[in-house]
Amino acid sequence: MAAGESTSRRPATEEAAEPLDRGERRQLDVVRRFGTTGSLVLAIGSIGAGAAPVDNPLSGARLIGLPVRVPTVAMACCWLGILMIVVAWLWLGRLCWPGRGRMLSVTQLARTLAMWALPLALAPPLFSTDMYSYLAQSEVAARGFNPYVLGSAAALGVDHPFTANVPNIWRDTPSPYGPLFLMFGQVISRIVGDNVVFGVLVWRAVMLCGLALAIWAIPRLARRCGVHPSAALWLGAANPIVLFHVVSGMHNEALMVGIMLAAIELGLRYQTVPGTIAAGVLLSVAGAIKPPGWIALGFFGIYLALRKGGRFRDLVQVAALLTAVFLATMTVITVASGWGLGWIDTFDVPNRVKTFMAPLTAFGMTGGGLSTLLGLGNQTDAMLVITKIVGYLVVAVVCLQMLWLSFRGRIEPLAGLGITYLTLALAVPVLWPWYLLWSVAPLALATNNSRFRVTAAVICAAVSLFVPPTGAGFPLRAYQIPLAVIAAAIAFAITLWLVRGKVPRLLPTRGGVRPVTQ
């Protein structure tokens, strides 16, 4: 399918599209089994090459602990599973691309997602150690300390099992998360005690609840925007970034995005003053978990103003109501937490990591390196301050422009929200793959644009390969990585050969489906 091609037809709705035929159902069965096999292989590899705790409880097990004793094989299994899941997701997308006459149903897609997610939900964590920071910072709060002042090392001690699993760079830093997230973490800490494994499982259950909210809201919001629900779910929820960094990695983007989308759907469904207030409270709660969630308040307000008539006074009235709801909600949360406004001072904590993955940070670090080479001194810090300010200014300008275009009816408000989130993810000083989830979900359900969907699919597939399964380097065993990758590539080629001709084609063919451009 070529990007940019379009037809005069409207996007296929769930009612208009026909179900898959017999041949396509056979292809779906193969794709499901291929992805499920990849998920199982990845889950097995996670035992020996995942982001396991320092005291891995499986290391002494005779059979299930075998991957711990053969780390190169475990790493190869991880990379093989990653590749299989990514390509299975791309094949799946061919069966639910906007504009097809026959579409995968929401039920079929949800079942497929469940099959791929279940092994990862039961396996040790992968791709990130952030969940150990959640445990440590929640324990700091549960012990009566202020998590916006003390890091886990100072509050719990370096020998505490939670602190021992936090990377060194984060042990002495205060929490960068919203107050409600840590208040909820306090409850979890009192349940799990100092049991790392139990704590990880409880947090995973919580993140899966957030994912469930997103899966509930995405099809409903997609119908409002004229996008087929299956197409929206494929890109927004079955995405390998979701599988790797929400189901397995357990990032709190799951809660933020899930609550945000559910709040917008409920607010549009119940357009009364109580309904608007309830939706505003939920959107404020999403931001109290992770601050980018607050941006959605503005675009939700645009929807309400347009429904009221689209006059400027309607916009002012809605803005006043949502602002009052936001201030009241955050006042209650801040007072209830007992930590004051310390959460405002720690927004910049994640920026302590310098990564070339963030475009403006890469520019600043490159400029600092050039200044050193030219004999002007090391100006890296000054360059990074400038690029950070420029980045936030760009985000502010783009956000205001998207709000205005949405209010004028030139763009779907959810699409404007997605563009704003994408700008924020690319402009902040640090960028991680899971930050893309802020923008992918709103954009997936707001547009049928073929160029966007092709580009998003390619980027999501590529980004899914950026972070190693361990969530960090492979300490003292870097020589094993090339061997593992080569073995995984060979095994992956064999699996592709075994399913040749039984799966949808990824490359365009003459006379194939022409995607709709909106």
Side-chain angles (χ1 to χ4, degrees), residues 42-55:
L42 179 56
I44 293 171
S46 70
I47 298 173
V54 174
D55 295 324

PDB file of all heavy atoms in Angstrom, residues 42-55:
ATOM      1  N   LEU A  42       9.942 -14.734  24.214  1.00  0.00           N
ATOM      2  CA  LEU A  42      10.425 -13.548  24.925  1.00  0.00           C
ATOM      3  C   LEU A  42      10.259 -13.718  26.433  1.00  0.00           C
ATOM      4  O   LEU A  42      11.146 -13.327  27.215  1.00  0.00           O
ATOM      5  CB  LEU A  42       9.657 -12.318  24.439  1.00  0.00           C
ATOM      6  CG  LEU A  42      10.000 -10.968  25.079  1.00  0.00           C
ATOM      7  CD1 LEU A  42      11.483 -10.655  24.951  1.00  0.00           C
ATOM      8  CD2 LEU A  42       9.166  -9.856  24.452  1.00  0.00           C
ATOM      9  N   ALA A  43       9.148 -14.285  26.859  1.00  0.00           N
ATOM     10  CA  ALA A  43       8.924 -14.510  28.291  1.00  0.00           C
ATOM     11  C   ALA A  43       9.957 -15.465  28.870  1.00  0.00           C
ATOM     12  O   ALA A  43      10.457 -15.260  29.986  1.00  0.00           O
ATOM     13  CB  ALA A  43       7.508 -15.052  28.517  1.00  0.00           C
ATOM     14  N   ILE A  44      10.297 -16.515  28.139  1.00  0.00           N
ATOM     15  CA  ILE A  44      11.325 -17.451  28.606  1.00  0.00           C
ATOM     16  C   ILE A  44      12.679 -16.752  28.694  1.00  0.00           C
ATOM     17  O   ILE A  44      13.411 -16.885  29.675  1.00  0.00           O
ATOM     18  CB  ILE A  44      11.393 -18.669  27.671  1.00  0.00           C
ATOM     19  CG1 ILE A  44      10.104 -19.494  27.778  1.00  0.00           C
ATOM     20  CG2 ILE A  44      12.609 -19.544  28.002  1.00  0.00           C
ATOM     21  CD1 ILE A  44       9.989 -20.594  26.739  1.00  0.00           C
ATOM     22  N   GLY A  45      13.013 -15.962  27.668  1.00  0.00           N
ATOM     23  CA  GLY A  45      14.290 -15.244  27.688  1.00  0.00           C
ATOM     24  C   GLY A  45      14.376 -14.231  28.800  1.00  0.00           C
ATOM     25  O   GLY A  45      15.471 -13.949  29.312  1.00  0.00           O
ATOM     26  N   SER A  46      13.222 -13.681  29.228  1.00  0.00           N
ATOM     27  CA  SER A  46      13.228 -12.658  30.277  1.00  0.00           C
ATOM     28  C   SER A  46      13.755 -13.197  31.601  1.00  0.00           C
ATOM     29  O   SER A  46      14.248 -12.435  32.431  1.00  0.00           O
ATOM     30  CB  SER A  46      11.814 -12.107  30.479  1.00  0.00           C
ATOM     31  OG  SER A  46      10.957 -13.078  31.073  1.00  0.00           O
ATOM     32  N   ILE A  47      13.671 -14.515  31.811  1.00  0.00           N
ATOM     33  CA  ILE A  47      14.150 -15.093  33.063  1.00  0.00           C
ATOM     34  C   ILE A  47      15.658 -14.898  33.208  1.00  0.00           C
ATOM     35  O   ILE A  47      16.156 -14.663  34.317  1.00  0.00           O
ATOM     36  CB  ILE A  47      13.792 -16.595  33.119  1.00  0.00           C
ATOM     37  CG1 ILE A  47      12.270 -16.766  33.090  1.00  0.00           C
ATOM     38  CG2 ILE A  47      14.385 -17.254  34.365  1.00  0.00           C
ATOM     39  CD1 ILE A  47      11.819 -18.200  32.963  1.00  0.00           C
ATOM     40  N   GLY A  48      16.370 -14.948  32.096  1.00  0.00           N
ATOM     41  CA  GLY A  48      17.819 -14.803  32.168  1.00  0.00           C
ATOM     42  C   GLY A  48      18.368 -13.507  31.617  1.00  0.00           C
ATOM     43  O   GLY A  48      19.531 -13.173  31.878  1.00  0.00           O
ATOM     44  N   ALA A  49      17.560 -12.749  30.836  1.00  0.00           N
ATOM     45  CA  ALA A  49      18.085 -11.530  30.213  1.00  0.00           C
ATOM     46  C   ALA A  49      17.120 -10.368  30.346  1.00  0.00           C
ATOM     47  O   ALA A  49      17.192  -9.411  29.570  1.00  0.00           O
ATOM     48  CB  ALA A  49      18.385 -11.791  28.731  1.00  0.00           C
ATOM     49  N   GLY A  50      16.225 -10.429  31.310  1.00  0.00           N
ATOM     50  CA  GLY A  50      15.291  -9.338  31.528  1.00  0.00           C
ATOM     51  C   GLY A  50      15.759  -8.410  32.633  1.00  0.00           C
ATOM     52  O   GLY A  50      16.911  -8.472  33.081  1.00  0.00           O
ATOM     53  N   ALA A  51      14.860  -7.529  33.066  1.00  0.00           N
ATOM     54  CA  ALA A  51      15.182  -6.584  34.139  1.00  0.00           C
ATOM     55  C   ALA A  51      14.814  -7.209  35.476  1.00  0.00           C
ATOM     56  O   ALA A  51      14.017  -6.679  36.245  1.00  0.00           O
ATOM     57  CB  ALA A  51      14.431  -5.276  33.919  1.00  0.00           C
ATOM     58  N   ALA A  52      15.395  -8.389  35.752  1.00  0.00           N
ATOM     59  CA  ALA A  52      15.074  -9.137  36.966  1.00  0.00           C
ATOM     60  C   ALA A  52      15.647  -8.435  38.200  1.00  0.00           C
ATOM     61  O   ALA A  52      16.586  -7.635  38.101  1.00  0.00           O
ATOM     62  CB  ALA A  52      15.629 -10.551  36.868  1.00  0.00           C
ATOM     63  N   PRO A  53      15.101  -8.714  39.385  1.00  0.00           N
ATOM     64  CA  PRO A  53      15.660  -8.142  40.611  1.00  0.00           C
ATOM     65  C   PRO A  53      17.096  -8.594  40.841  1.00  0.00           C
ATOM     66  O   PRO A  53      17.561  -9.584  40.253  1.00  0.00           O
ATOM     67  CB  PRO A  53      14.738  -8.690  41.712  1.00  0.00           C
ATOM     68  CG  PRO A  53      13.514  -9.164  41.025  1.00  0.00           C
ATOM     69  CD  PRO A  53      13.921  -9.559  39.652  1.00  0.00           C
ATOM     70  N   VAL A  54      17.805  -7.866  41.705  1.00  0.00           N
ATOM     71  CA  VAL A  54      19.192  -8.221  42.020  1.00  0.00           C
ATOM     72  C   VAL A  54      19.263  -9.649  42.554  1.00  0.00           C
ATOM     73  O   VAL A  54      20.110 -10.448  42.143  1.00  0.00           O
ATOM     74  CB  VAL A  54      19.767  -7.224  43.043  1.00  0.00           C
ATOM     75  CG1 VAL A  54      21.152  -7.677  43.495  1.00  0.00           C
ATOM     76  CG2 VAL A  54      19.835  -5.826  42.439  1.00  0.00           C
ATOM     77  N   ASP A  55      18.377  -9.980  43.459  1.00  0.00           N
ATOM     78  CA  ASP A  55      18.285 -11.351  43.963  1.00  0.00           C
ATOM     79  C   ASP A  55      17.192 -12.072  43.182  1.00  0.00           C
ATOM     80  O   ASP A  55      16.036 -12.155  43.619  1.00  0.00           O
ATOM     81  CB  ASP A  55      17.966 -11.353  45.464  1.00  0.00           C
ATOM     82  CG  ASP A  55      19.089 -10.742  46.282  1.00  0.00           C
ATOM     83  OD1 ASP A  55      20.260 -10.943  45.925  1.00  0.00           O
ATOM     84  OD2 ASP A  55      18.779 -10.047  47.271  1.00  0.00           O
TER      85      ASP A  55
END
